[in-house]
Structures are given as structure tokens and as C-alpha cells.
Amino acid sequence: MGDTAAGLLQIGTVVVVLVLLYRPLGDHMARVFTSSRHLAVERGLYRVIGVDGSAEQTWRAYLRGVLAFSLVGLAFVYLLQRTQALLPASLGFPAVPPGLAFNTAASFVTNTNWQSYSPDVTLGYAVQLGGLVVQNFVSAAVGIAVAIALVRGLSRSRSTTLGNFWVDLTRSLTRILLPGAVVAAVVLLLGGVVQDFAGFTDVTTLTGGSATIPGGPVASQEAIKLLGTNGGGFFNANSAHPFENPTAWTSLVQVVLMLAIPFSLPRTFGRMVGSTKQGLAIASVMSIFFAVSLTAMTWFELRGAGTATQLAGGAMEGKEVRFGIWGSTLFGTTSTLTSTGAVNSMHDSYTALGGMMAMINMMLGEIAPGGVGSGLYGMLVLAVITVFVAGLLVGRTPEYLGKKVGPREIKLASLYILVTPTIVLAGTALSFAIPAVRADVEGTSIWNAGLHGFSEVLYAFTSAANNNGSAFAGLTANTPWFNTALGLAMLFGRFVPIVIVLALAGSFAAQGHTPSTSGTLPTHRPQFVGLLTSVAFVISALTYFPVLALGPLAEGLN
């Protein structure tokens, strides 16, 4: 079988699996968040944390729960790293330095999983399992909870509440993420992914030399890293490492795990608002962006950047032979269009335009399909802006699912789409505008001078602000400036949009439902799908085109 046929077969397999999962998984998640029944283990957890599972919260109380829970997680992961030398199963590693510990804590609490270090030689099992893996679960659950709160805001009429954050968080864990991660871990184990507590093993090589082979609880961490669209690897090479991702079929499994929940949440949305066609429209927009991005990235990498790469059949630098170009671009597109950030190839070694596609995927707001929860609420905010634009075109009051989009709603939606670009562009600009910082960045962090060096910094802030976590690995980010700036970018990029989304949900919930009329824009038809796709693209293009022209686009056209 030729490479093209094998690549198309891989893509077709992923599509078929996602189509088969869309309805049952989406319906299951809808039942999880609409059921009045609490499991015994959930009732026990409520008693422990002092929560009334039957009580509901206003959007402000819901937000306080999100922020308080995340703040505690941030402090706990930071302290765990700083006291690593005192912990059992630390493998003899010292405490993590303060700046790196802050950056890592912010990274995992925000579902980013940016790693400015080699995890297998920096963190022991206590920190990996007690800190990072726990946050892989709960940060994903927070994203789902916020998305469900927005859906409730759209579906309820004259309500002052959005549900209960603690109940939504718990149910996301006990009924979705934990069961899914167990199944995924078993599948990965069968595929050869490592799972042990052996530490480091010294072996004699075939040539008579010696080597040290690291082990660890990889499969269990890998499962939730992908299912929760987290992305932080157990090894520095992430999913390019054979202990994390041994074969082409385990790589396909990992792609499916990244996409399963985000692509099924639109079905959950449709069920909860009473129209599965609405969910299908959102999923269609996500699919269009995914298909276009995958096609473009694959074409750029197959075409290569010159005669040598074309003669070699494509740009294979930084890619694993066992995955090839098709398997690498499928994984890379999935990783950057979700908030996962995992890699099975090195994005810094992609062609200039192929690497640009990874950046554009994140600059879209990771909405196709985005991270667990965050992708759905990001797309719904864009839907609100779309109906507002359509209302201006026809001179009617814009409505979405029977909710009027007034001045308060459009201001909140506008603020949402401005937050991330502001962080990305400001962070990149400050890295070169402040003389002392620029000297450090150009002298210490950037290994590739010129246009590509600029692209590496731009990619770092794009990844951090969008809570992705992937990187152009030629950038040395474990410096005081990047540890602090990227840590703050991750925190603001995660929680400022959440504040806005919950405020928007509260505003919609307080409204009544407006009956549809002949002048109401149908938001489940192909026309709306096309309009929403166009609005999402134009917003990103107008915002980021100038800075892309300074980096990857200029490099690619040079």
C-alpha cells in the first residue's frame, strides 16, 4: 500500500470512529448533566467537601467555585514540586526551582501542559501522579463544567442559576473522564505503552556499551493526557517516544482519544437545548475547519521546502518513520486544533508554512473541535457574534436559540475574542521590545536567528495563551522571563475567558425565550454553518495576519 493510500485510510478510520461515537457519547454526557440522581460515591464526596448536591448556584457563585478550586490546585502543585526532595518515590530528584515550579503549576492547572523541562529526568512519581495526573483530570473537568453552564444558560428561561459547579465537576470525573481513562489506559497497555514503577534500569547495549532506560506509569498518564486534551508527556519527546506511542495504530488511538469528547459535546449541547440539529450545525463548522487545516498542513509537508525534500518524498525531518508524514500531520492537526499540545513529531522542524498551520489552528481559538469544554464554549461565543452580525445585515434584533443578543451579550462576546490575541501579541512584542528581555531572549532562548526565531517566540505565546502546550522546541523557555510571562499568559488565557463565558451564561439564563418568527435566523441550516465558518475565519485572519506575515509566512515565501 502506498503512503497516500495508507494516509487516507488512517484519516478515514478516525472519521468512522468519531461518527460512531458522536451520538452515544454525546447522549451519555447529556444524561450525566441532566440527571437528578447522584451516585453513592458522589454523595460521599459531597459530604466530605460540604456541598449540597441538590442546591444550584448563580453564575457568580459558580465562578467563585471555579476560581477557588483552581487556586488551590495551583498552590498544591507548586508546593509539591518545591518539596519534591522530601517526598517518597522522588527518584532522587531535587526540588524544582521556584520559577519553573510556578510555570509548571500554572500549565497543568490551566489544561495547557506546557513543559519547559524534561519530565522523565526532572519529576519523580509523587509529583507526576499526585500533582500532574490529578490536574490532568480536574482541569479537563473544569472545562466541561463551564461549557455545560453556558449550555444551561442558553436552555433555561428566567433563571438565576446555572447548576452547581461542584456537582458538574464531580460528575465529569466519575462518569466521563475516569471510566474513559481506564479503558484508554488498558488499550494503550495492549499496544505496548509502558506502565511500571521501575525507575531507571541500566542495560548493556548490543555494542557492549551501557545505557540507562527510564520507566514509569506512562500508560495511565498517557490516557488522561489525551482524553482530557491536556498534552503533557511523561518523556521529553512526548508521543514521539516509543514508550509513549509505540506503533502507528497506537498513534491513531491517541488521535481518537483527543477528538472523542470535543467532537461529541456538540451532540450534548443539542440534546440539552432540545434540538440535535443545533448540535450538528456546530459539529459541522468544527469539521470544516479540521478538514481544511489537515489538508493544508499535509500538503505543505508533502510538498516540502525545496528540491531535496521533494526528492525524499516530503519533509521528514523531525518526524518518526513509523508514523510518516500523513500520521504526523494528522496528529499535529488534531493536537493544535484541540487544546492538547501533544506531539508525535517536532513542529519546529516542519516546513515554514506547515508550522504556520499549527499556529493558525491555535489562533482560531482551538474551536475545531477545541479542548474538552473550552472548544464548545468558544464556538458558542462565535455563534453569538455571528447572529449579531447577521442581525445587522438584515436590520433585526439578533437572537440565538430564543435568546436576544443585546448590548451586554455582544460586549461580553467581543471581550472574549479580544482576550487571547491581546495576550499573544503583547507577550510576543514585550519579548523583543524590552531591551534587557530581548538581550536575554536572543542570547539565551533563541537558537535559530531571524524569521524562524521570531516564529518560535510567537508560537510559545500562542500556545500558552490558548492553553495548548505544544512548542517550537528550538526555543529554550526555562528562563526567568519565559517562566513568568508564559505562566501568566496561561493563567489569564484560561480564566479571563471563563469569567466572560459564565457572565454570558448568567445573562442568557435570566432572559425568557423569544418565540421564533419568519424573521428569525435559522441557526441549524447550512447557511448558518457557512456564515459561522466565515465569521470565525475572518476574526482570526484580521487579528493575526500581520504578525504571521512577520514570521512563518515571510519565512515560507522567502
Side-chain angles (χ1 to χ4, degrees):
M1 182 182 296
D3 289 346
T4 300
L8 292 174
L9 181 60
Q10 291 179 62
I11 296 169
T13 301
V14 170
V15 170
V16 169
V17 173
L18 291 176
V19 169
L20 293 175
L21 286 174
Y22 177 76
R23 182 167 184 167
L25 181 55
D27 289 352
H28 168 70
M29 290 190 287
R31 289 191 295 270
V32 165
F33 297 109
T34 55
S35 172
S36 59
R37 177 174 170 267
H38 302 290
L39 302 179
V41 65
E42 295 168 348
R43 292 194 297 269
L45 287 172
Y46 301 153
R47 284 193 294 269
V48 169
I49 61 178
V51 168
D52 180 1
S54 61
E56 294 214 344
Q57 298 172 310
T58 64
W59 76 264
R60 290 183 175 84
Y62 203 102
L63 175 61
R64 287 195 294 271
V66 171
L67 296 180
F69 179 76
S70 300
L71 180 61
V72 170
L74 179 70
F76 179 73
V77 176
Y78 178 83
L79 290 173
L80 207 61
Q81 294 175 87
R82 296 292 294 134
T83 59
Q84 175 169 246
L86 306 175
L87 300 175
S90 65
L91 302 180
F93 294 140
V96 179
L100 181 57
F102 163 72
N103 183 277
T104 303
S107 173
F108 279 80
V109 167
T110 58
N111 198 243
T112 309
N113 293 35
W114 171 275
Q115 294 173 298
S116 298
Y117 57 93
S118 297
D120 49 315
V121 293
T122 305
L123 301 178
Y125 298 154
V127 177
Q128 289 269 23
L129 296 176
L132 307 191
V133 173
V134 169
Q135 287 305 316
N136 281 349
F137 278 100
V138 297
S139 65
V142 167
I144 295 174
V146 172
I148 294 301
L150 178 57
V151 174
R152 290 198 186 106
L154 290 166
S155 63
R156 293 184 175 184
S157 179
R158 303 198 183 282
S159 174
T160 59
T161 61
L162 296 175
N164 187 310
F165 167 68
W166 305 103
V167 172
D168 293 339
L169 176 76
T170 302
R171 290 186 176 187
S172 296
L173 292 169
T174 58
R175 306 190 192 187
I176 300 171
L177 295 172
L178 276 167
V182 169
V183 173
V186 171
V187 173
L188 292 174
L189 272 170
L190 293 174
V193 178
V194 171
Q195 180 76 14
D196 60 42
F197 292 91
F200 296 92
T201 304
D202 294 322
V203 299
T204 302
T205 66
L206 294 175
T207 60
S210 62
T212 300
I213 299 177
V218 180
S220 55
Q221 182 166 330
E222 196 76 4
I224 188 56
K225 147 194 157 179
L226 299 159
L227 187 67
T229 62
N230 296 281
F234 192 92
F235 299 102
N236 191 41
N238 207 281
S239 287
H241 198 291
F243 288 1
E244 283 196 32
N245 192 7
T247 64
W249 78 262
T250 57
S251 191
L252 273 187
V253 169
Q254 295 192 12
V255 168
V256 170
L257 289 175
M258 286 188 273
L259 296 173
I261 293 177
F263 259 128
S264 298
L265 274 172
R267 171 75 181 190
T268 304
F269 158 69
R271 285 289 302 272
M272 292 182 68
V273 299
S275 173
T276 55
K277 291 181 179 179
Q278 297 288 346
L280 190 59
I282 295 297
S284 298
V285 178
M286 293 176 172
S287 301
I288 290 170
F289 277 117
F290 190 94
V292 172
S293 174
L294 176 59
T295 300
M297 184 184 285
T298 304
W299 187 79
F300 288 138
E301 293 306 297
L302 287 172
R303 180 174 177 270
T307 304
T309 51
Q310 291 176 23
L311 290 173
M316 278 298 293
E317 179 186 336
K319 300 177 180 67
E320 296 293 308
V321 174
R322 67 185 186 279
F323 303 137
I325 289 179
W326 287 84
S328 298
T329 55
L330 175 59
F331 198 103
T333 299
T334 301
S335 173
T336 51
L337 277 174
T338 62
S339 66
T340 313
V343 295
N344 74 349
S345 57
M346 298 300 107
H347 294 177
D348 200 18
S349 295
Y350 276 34
T351 61
L353 297 181
M356 182 185 71
M357 288 309 304
M359 261 191 267
I360 290 174
N361 291 343
M362 295 183 285
M363 290 171 173
L364 284 170
E366 294 178 327
I367 53 171
V372 287
S374 61
L376 177 61
Y377 65 65
M379 185 64 84
L380 292 179
V381 170
L382 287 172
V384 170
I385 293 175
T386 300
V387 297
F388 178 77
V389 171
L392 293 178
L393 293 175
V394 298
R396 294 181 179 271
T397 302
E399 300 170 6
Y400 186 54
L401 301 178
K403 302 288 186 174
K404 292 187 179 298
V405 180
R408 173 177 169 80
E409 290 76 25
I410 196 59
K411 286 176 184 176
L412 288 170
S414 299
L415 285 172
Y416 180 94
I417 65 172
L418 289 173
V419 169
T420 305
T422 300
I423 297 170
V424 172
L425 300 178
T428 303
L430 289 173
S431 296
F432 293 100
I434 302 174
V437 173
R438 177 173 182 169
D440 181 60
V441 168
E442 293 183 341
T444 305
S445 297
I446 297 178
W447 287 24
N448 300 288
L451 298 174
H452 194 74
F454 176 83
S455 296
E456 289 176 344
V457 176
L458 175 62
Y459 193 107
F461 280 98
T462 302
S463 178
N466 285 282
N467 301 137
N468 183 268
S470 64
F472 273 5
L475 182 75
T476 300
N478 187 12
T479 65
W481 165 251
F482 280 120
N483 279 333
T484 303
L486 294 177
L488 293 174
M490 289 183 271
L491 290 170
F492 286 120
R494 172 73 163 181
F495 294 111
V496 174
I498 283 178
V499 171
I500 295 170
V501 166
L502 290 176
L504 186 63
S507 181
F508 281 136
Q511 296 184 29
H513 275 288
T514 303
S516 298
T517 66
S518 58
T520 301
L521 173 68
T523 54
H524 63 280
R525 294 180 180 172
Q527 297 96 315
F528 182 76
V529 170
L531 185 59
L532 176 53
T533 303
S534 302
V535 168
F537 174 76
V538 168
I539 287 174
S540 297
L542 292 177
T543 304
Y544 288 110
F545 179 78
V547 74
L548 288 171
L550 293 175
L553 190 57
E555 184 184 359
L557 298 176
N558 188 6

